[in-house]
Amino acid sequence: MNFDLTPEQDQLRDAVRALGRRYGHDYFVTKAKAGEHTTELWDEAGRLGYLGVNVPTEYGGGGGGITELAIVCEELAAAGCPLLLLVVSPAIAATVIARHGTGEQRKRFLPGFADGSLKVVFAITEPEAGSNFHRLGTVARRDGDDWLLSGRKCYISGVDEAQYVLVVARTEDASTGRLKPALFVVPTDAPGLTRSKLDMEIVSPENQFLLYLDDVRLPADALVGESLDAGLPALFAGLNPERITVAAMGAGTGRYAIERASEYTATRKVWGGRTIGSHQGVAHPLAHAAVQVELARLMIHKAASLYDAGRDLEAGVSSNMAKYAAGEAAALAVDTAVQVLGGAGMTTEYGVATLLGAVRAGRIAPVSREMILNFVAQHVLGQEKSY
Ligand SMILES: Cc1cc2nc3c(=O)[nH]c(=O)nc-3n(C[C@H](O)[C@H](O)[C@H](O)COP(=O)(O)OP(=O)(O)OC[C@H]3O[C@@H](n4cnc5c(N)ncnc54)[C@H](O)[C@@H]3O)c2cc1C
């Protein structure tokens, strides 16, 4: 058993940390409040190769795995810049295309993922289906060689920044007549695709959208993979990287909050000469949050190692557990940081309350804590499915 990163992973972590700190949380919040994107940070990270660490080298990427991408997600978040687009574009979309795209799709898309010039977001959630993906209502119909997509998606992150959206739709299996899932690469400016921005209570430069697909016409090669049979494995290929990188962002955010809070409580004095951090009522909640974050990091490390070793089934359990643990730990860490900072905790200046919405959302998305508990109860504890 080895808990160490490799020297290359160590170097990556230090370099991403340095980049993140150069931008910092003030930059992130200023962009969010101005309704702007973190384009400078994204572009610089792309030029430095950090956004393509998991893309195969033959397409210009770093040739690493989800372990490396999780390091990038965690360190940027630990610097106060949790970028959700890292989860949808390099973690989900690049993985799906690298693992299940046709040779032509890999050549076309992967170089853009490698340098970050291409952003592809991900659309599965629908208003009526919610957590129940078996109820997806977005349908893809054949029209000659083309596909026509119709349906609605909700909470789709980053559509305004992306060139493409990877849409999960249902198609009809000609042999059985049953509807089966398939993934389509849809240009965000495709005729028939419209969007409306959702008002979210999250301080973030990345936005969520409702998407309306009204007979969006796509060429045959918009379907990910060689045939409709690629749909289900392609969909599953994105899930573990999504959970691992979201968890890494949560752990990084937790570290950021604990660091801000510890700096404050180690110097603030309101009772004579002692710092507030000398009171266990202040120090213990922080220490407790630090333990939870560190435990989540261990599970993230395990999940990423299993995934990169190709042990997808075991990685599924660990990825879900890591996402659960990190979601809870991040929410606890930020809430605790706000509390120990007192009034300062609620100011924008001290940069912790600005993360409350994001960490709260991390307990809901991309898969809610309840759905993870359902998964663990059923697949680890052998309990009967209740829904
Ligand atoms: C900030 C943010 C960004 C997002 N970005 C994206 C994106 O880019 N792309 C995308 O496709 N989606 C995105 N989502 C959507 C997200 O994945 C969904 O919100 C999430 O999967 C939950 O679905 P729902 O909101 O429909 O909740 P529902 O399914 O309506 O669930 C509501 C509540 O009921 C609980 N519940 C439901 N079923 C059960 C059950 N069987 N047992 C126990 N409890 C249950 C849930 O846990 C939840 O607490 C985003 C959401 C947020 C908040």
Side-chain angles (χ1 to χ4, degrees):
M1 198 173 295
N2 183 359
F3 294 103
D4 292 330
L5 297 179
T6 64
E8 293 76 24
Q9 290 166 345
D10 257 334
Q11 274 173 10
L12 174 69
R13 186 193 56 194
D14 293 346
V16 177
R17 180 180 295 169
L19 174 72
R21 287 193 173 170
R22 199 143 48 70
Y23 283 86
H25 190 59
D26 285 348
Y27 162 80
F28 183 86
V29 171
T30 304
K31 288 285 175 185
K33 293 203 167 174
E36 295 171 4
H37 302 306
T38 47
T39 313
E40 303 82 3
L41 172 56
W42 182 274
D43 288 349
E44 190 168 352
R47 278 196 302 276
L48 292 167
Y50 305 154
L51 305 178
V53 284
N54 59 323
V55 173
T57 45
E58 59 193 293
Y59 300 100
I66 291 301
T67 304
E68 282 74 15
L69 190 59
I71 290 172
V72 175
C73 292
E74 182 180 338
E75 291 309 321
L76 288 181
C81 300
L83 298 185
L84 201 48
L85 268 182
L86 285 170
V87 173
V88 283
S89 195
I92 304 178
T95 302
V96 164
I97 289 177
R99 284 181 68 161
H100 294 281
T102 61
E104 195 47 47
Q105 286 167 342
R106 284 201 288 270
K107 264 193 260 161
R108 187 168 152 210
F109 294 114
L110 292 180
F113 284 118
D115 65 12
S117 57
L118 180 69
K119 291 178 192 159
V120 180
V121 294
F122 181 63
I124 182 165
T125 310
E126 296 185 0
E128 282 78 27
S131 304
N132 184 359
F133 298 130
H134 298 287
R135 286 188 61 195
L136 288 185
T138 297
V139 173
R141 304 187 319 277
R142 277 277 190 203
D143 186 39
D145 281 346
D146 292 349
W147 290 98
L148 288 175
L149 263 63
S150 290
R152 277 196 306 159
K153 298 284 178 185
C154 57
Y155 307 118
I156 309 308
S157 303
V159 189
D160 54 338
E161 298 185 63
Q163 293 97 321
Y164 294 92
V165 52
L166 195 57
V167 173
V168 183
R170 301 167 74 94
T171 58
E172 191 166 303
D173 184 332
S175 57
T176 64
R178 286 176 53 192
L179 291 171
K180 58 195 263 185
L183 275 70
F184 294 88
V185 189
V186 182
T188 46
D189 60 0
L193 178 70
T194 50
R195 62 177 185 245
S196 71
K197 184 169 166 290
L198 286 162
D199 284 331
M200 306 289 282
E201 296 298 333
I202 302 174
V203 179
S204 172
E206 292 155 328
N207 301 305
Q208 278 70 47
F209 293 87
L210 274 167
L211 282 189
Y212 307 91
L213 297 106
D214 185 9
D215 276 345
V216 175
R217 182 173 291 278
L218 300 170
D221 65 3
L223 173 74
V224 174
E226 301 288 354
S227 75
L228 285 178
D229 292 337
L232 203 55
L235 177 56
F236 279 116
L239 295 185
N240 289 336
E242 173 191 64
R243 282 151 176 62
I244 295 168
T245 49
V246 162
M249 263 177 54
T253 304
R255 278 173 49 204
Y256 165 84
I258 292 167
E259 199 179 311
R260 291 285 77 70
S262 305
E263 283 163 8
Y264 186 82
T265 57
T267 51
R268 170 118 172 121
K269 294 175 181 168
V270 291
W271 304 102
R274 298 177 71 87
T275 61
I276 54 169
S278 70
H279 303 295
Q280 291 177 344
V282 171
H284 280 188
L286 271 181
H288 174 63
V291 171
Q292 300 305 310
V293 169
E294 199 54 31
L295 289 173
R297 293 182 75 228
L298 275 182
M299 190 51 97
I300 293 164
H301 195 55
K302 177 176 176 182
S305 301
L306 287 170
Y307 180 82
D308 288 337
R311 292 159 66 180
D312 284 1
L313 278 180
E314 293 156 276
V317 172
S318 299
S319 305
N320 275 291
M321 287 186 173
K323 196 269 154 186
Y324 178 94
E328 298 304 304
L332 176 73
V334 171
D335 187 61
T336 303
V338 170
Q339 188 67 22
V340 301
L341 266 96
M346 293 307 296
T347 64
T348 307
E349 182 189 348
Y350 281 84
V352 284
T354 40
L355 290 163
L356 282 169
V359 292
R360 194 63 194 77
R363 297 171 81 208
I364 298 167
V367 53
S368 70
R369 61 194 294 282
E370 292 76 23
M371 292 310 291
I372 295 180
L373 294 176
N374 284 334
F375 175 87
V376 172
Q378 194 186 336
H379 296 285
V380 181
L381 307 181
Q383 301 304 300
E384 197 180 335
K385 191 173 173 181
S386 67
Y387 54 96

